[in-house]
Amino acid sequence: MFSLSEENYLKAILHLQKTSKSGVNTNALAEEMQTKASSVTDMVKKLSEKNLVIYKKYQGVYLSDSGRKTALQIVRKHRLWEVFLVDKLSFSWDEVHEVAEQLEHIKSDKLITELDKFLKYPKRDPHGDPIPDAKGDFHVANKILLSNLSKGEHGTLVGVKDTSSEFLKYLDKNSIALGKTIQVLDKEEFDESMLIQTDGKSLRVSPMVAVNIYIKQ
Amino acid sequence: MFSLSEENYLKAILHLQKTSKSGVNTNALAEEMQTKASSVTDMVKKLSEKNLVIYKKYQGVYLSDSGRKTALQIVRKHRLWEVFLVDKLSFSWDEVHEVAEQLEHIKSDKLITELDKFLKYPKRDPHGDPIPDAKGDFHVANKILLSNLSKGEHGTLVGVKDTSSEFLKYLDKNSIALGKTIQVLDKEEFDESMLIQTDGKSLRVSPMVAVNIYIKQ
DNA sequence: ATTTATTTTTAGACAAAACTAAAAATAAAA
DNA sequence: TTTTATTTTTAGTTTTGTCTAAAAATAAAT
Ligand SMILES: [Mn+2]
Ligand SMILES: [Mn+2]
Ligand SMILES: [Mn+2]
Ligand SMILES: [Mn+2]
């Protein structure tokens, strides 16, 4: 088994390699892990020793097959716990991250199998992100950003890019929620702000909001 | 907040001080923690620095009020998670300990408050042990050992002293379960073995079994 | 009351995971 | 193509929690 720190690194590498064709940079990983570049180099060497990543000095780091598999299982656990917290313990979607960050490291195959069953095999977490199955497979939705919609178009809110508590609370406050239909009533050329309609109310949102909402048409 | 190791030590001290009027011995604590006496001394010094225990060299260790309070909250979490695993995730009572040992260290007040509510404020864990409330208060049952019953007496099984997987599986195999009535049909003077009746079946049990079952008359 | 045995503590070391400061490699600019 | 800037790695510490071996204190036995 792997340490809490190793698991967090693998998850961070998985996350960063999605937005980068080449290897994950030491500095980017340090930023993501809230640590120093030198610490990252040390850990990356260790992960490489254990064949969880492919690493050549100065060339960035890549997950190996086994590293990717491990990382996906952590993500699976993280997201299943998030569903549990929201569906069963009445947490709101902006409160779950910190706790799931801890729960994802509990070691027990039976626990996660049974939790999955108890939650009725959910496909997505409270933020709309897909939950990998026991094999690591998951379904990627063909979603687009709200900012890419034109005036008159509409779609369903299927996810959020920014999952910070601040952003999620902003959405709550304005009745913008997962599964709701969003209609673009108007788009301002000047600042790219949008007048949208959802949950019966209309509201003007800045581009900063629009680029953090995923829509399925 | 306290480290995983500090929390486990506090819990171990709480456990050991129940069966000892004087302070908890270094060696006993080392045995309980599966570590060496020298490691215990180091940790006990640290806990003493943090005012979680009262410690004088060579005189054994006692929990302080704050140490006891902290330890009871870990026990509370441990037992609530055990209830969750058995009641909601269909674990059996011999499978929960290892996982609860990990879950008890998750840091979140809301999590434990909501879990308690979700489980309908259980008073006892799957082994019959009392669950401390948020203030650390709990109800001690006036239970006695099965071995103390005489021929002809009966009572309800309210707890087990040995919570090892081996013992619990033995009980399962013989339909001896929490809440069941146990009747002492006969007691052999020679080896103190007992012929008991429970769940419609009669069965001869050794003293080793009888001293690990708690009865309420 | 000594001697012997047991328990407990100290001293020194180690592994994991972090840090700072400095060196080396790579990338960007002149 | 040098020079400069940025990124990454190395070297040397630190903290936490553990270990072994040896010393000191306490308890038990003669
Ligand atoms: Mn984590
Ligand atoms: Mn999520
Ligand atoms: Mn534990
Ligand atoms: Mn229990």
Side-chain angles (χ1 to χ4, degrees):
Chain A
M1 273 316 112
F2 307 107
S3 75
L4 184 138
S5 203
E6 290 171 333
E7 292 188 345
N8 283 335
Y9 269 94
L10 290 176
K11 203 163 58 112
I13 298 168
L14 179 71
H15 179 66
L16 290 173
Q17 87 178 6
K18 275 187 300 212
T19 51
S20 126
K21 49 245 104 229
S22 60
V24 172
N25 299 330
T26 303
N27 267 352
L29 197 41
E31 165 71 24
E32 177 80 14
M33 291 296 299
Q34 302 267 62
T35 186
K36 297 298 156 73
S38 54
S39 305
V40 169
T41 302
D42 285 347
M43 179 55 89
V44 157
K45 279 178 178 171
K46 200 171 71 164
L47 295 175
S48 180
E49 278 302 308
K50 300 190 177 187
N51 291 311
L52 292 166
V53 301
I54 288 108
Y55 166 65
K56 286 204 293 280
K57 275 189 195 175
Y58 297 99
Q59 302 312 122
V61 63
Y62 301 79
L63 286 176
S64 70
D65 283 353
S66 119
R68 184 184 155 80
K69 199 169 153 251
T70 304
L72 281 169
Q73 286 313 303
I74 316 289
V75 169
R76 169 172 163 78
K77 291 196 277 181
H78 184 104
R79 293 180 180 165
L80 280 174
W81 280 117
E82 285 190 344
V83 172
F84 170 72
L85 294 172
V86 168
D87 286 8
K88 304 295 180 181
L89 300 196
S90 60
F91 276 60
S92 56
W93 67 343
D94 64 293
E95 297 175 311
V96 296
H97 187 74
E98 191 192 357
V99 185
E101 202 58 42
Q102 298 177 61
L103 285 164
E104 70 188 1
H105 303 289
I106 304 290
K107 267 104 183 153
S108 165
D109 285 345
K110 185 179 171 83
L111 176 62
I112 207 66
T113 304
E114 293 293 334
L115 182 64
D116 195 21
K117 187 196 291 177
F118 182 58
L119 299 173
K120 310 270 175 61
Y121 309 105
K123 292 276 164 293
R124 313 203 155 264
D125 83 359
H127 311 105
D129 291 314
I131 300 174
D133 66 19
K135 294 191 203 80
D137 298 330
F138 61 93
H139 189 74
V140 279
N142 54 335
K143 63 202 178 194
I144 58 168
L145 290 175
L146 173 58
S147 56
N148 291 124
L149 288 192
S150 315
K151 178 175 174 178
E153 291 190 300
H154 70 280
T156 309
L157 199 167
V158 295
V160 287
K161 194 166 165 186
D162 177 0
T163 57
S164 74
S165 188
E166 296 74 43
F167 182 55
L168 298 176
K169 276 178 177 154
Y170 164 86
L171 295 180
D172 282 346
K173 199 173 58 190
N174 293 290
S175 310
I176 304 173
L178 223 64
K180 292 261 176 69
T181 297
I182 295 187
Q183 189 122 20
V184 181
L185 300 179
D186 191 36
K187 196 168 183 178
E188 176 61 55
E189 291 289 323
F190 172 61
D191 66 352
E192 295 274 293
S193 76
M194 282 176 162
L195 185 67
I196 64 169
Q197 172 142 44
T198 187
D199 201 47
K201 290 178 275 270
S202 66
L203 167 81
R204 183 158 292 276
V205 298
S206 72
M208 185 164 168
V209 169
V211 298
N212 279 300
I213 290 175
Y214 288 121
I215 297 291
K216 190 173 179 180
Q217 278 180 306
Chain B
M1 273 315 111
F2 307 107
S3 74
L4 184 138
S5 203
E6 290 170 333
E7 292 188 345
N8 283 335
Y9 269 94
L10 290 175
K11 202 163 59 110
I13 297 167
L14 179 72
H15 178 66
L16 290 173
Q17 87 178 6
K18 275 187 302 213
T19 52
S20 126
K21 49 244 102 232
S22 59
V24 172
N25 299 329
T26 303
N27 267 351
L29 197 41
E31 165 71 24
E32 177 79 13
M33 291 295 299
Q34 302 266 63
T35 186
K36 297 297 155 74
S38 54
S39 306
V40 169
T41 302
D42 286 346
M43 179 55 88
V44 157
K45 279 178 179 171
K46 200 170 69 164
L47 295 174
S48 180
E49 278 301 308
K50 299 190 176 186
N51 292 311
L52 292 165
V53 302
I54 289 111
Y55 167 65
K56 284 204 294 279
K57 274 189 195 175
Y58 297 99
Q59 302 311 123
V61 64
Y62 301 78
L63 285 177
S64 69
D65 283 354
S66 118
R68 184 183 156 79
K69 200 171 152 248
T70 306
L72 282 169
Q73 286 313 302
I74 316 287
V75 169
R76 168 171 162 77
K77 292 196 276 180
H78 184 105
R79 292 181 181 164
L80 281 174
W81 280 117
E82 285 190 346
V83 173
F84 170 72
L85 294 173
V86 168
D87 287 8
K88 304 295 180 182
L89 300 196
S90 60
F91 276 60
S92 56
W93 67 343
D94 64 292
E95 297 175 310
V96 296
H97 188 73
E98 191 192 357
V99 185
E101 202 57 43
Q102 299 176 62
L103 285 163
E104 70 188 1
H105 302 289
I106 303 291
K107 267 104 184 154
S108 164
D109 286 343
K110 185 178 171 85
L111 176 63
I112 207 66
T113 304
E114 293 293 335
L115 182 64
D116 195 21
K117 185 196 292 177
F118 181 59
L119 299 173
K120 309 269 176 58
Y121 309 104
K123 290 276 165 294
R124 313 201 154 267
D125 84 358
H127 310 105
D129 291 315
I131 300 175
D133 66 20
K135 293 192 203 81
D137 298 330
F138 60 93
H139 188 74
V140 277
N142 53 333
K143 62 201 178 194
I144 59 169
L145 290 176
L146 172 58
S147 56
N148 291 124
L149 288 192
S150 313
K151 178 176 171 177
E153 292 190 300
H154 70 280
T156 309
L157 200 168
V158 295
V160 288
K161 195 165 165 189
D162 178 0
T163 57
S164 73
S165 188
E166 297 73 43
F167 182 55
L168 298 176
K169 276 179 176 154
Y170 163 85
L171 296 179
D172 282 345
K173 200 173 59 190
N174 292 290
S175 310
I176 304 172
L178 223 65
K180 290 262 175 70
T181 297
I182 296 187
Q183 189 122 20
V184 180
L185 301 179
D186 191 36
K187 195 168 184 177
E188 176 61 55
E189 291 290 322
F190 172 63
D191 66 351
E192 295 274 293
S193 75
M194 281 175 162
L195 186 66
I196 63 168
Q197 173 142 44
T198 187
D199 201 46
K201 290 178 274 268
S202 66
L203 166 82
R204 183 159 291 276
V205 298
S206 73
M208 184 164 171
V209 170
V211 298
N212 279 300
I213 290 175
Y214 288 120
I215 298 290
K216 190 174 180 179
Q217 277 180 304

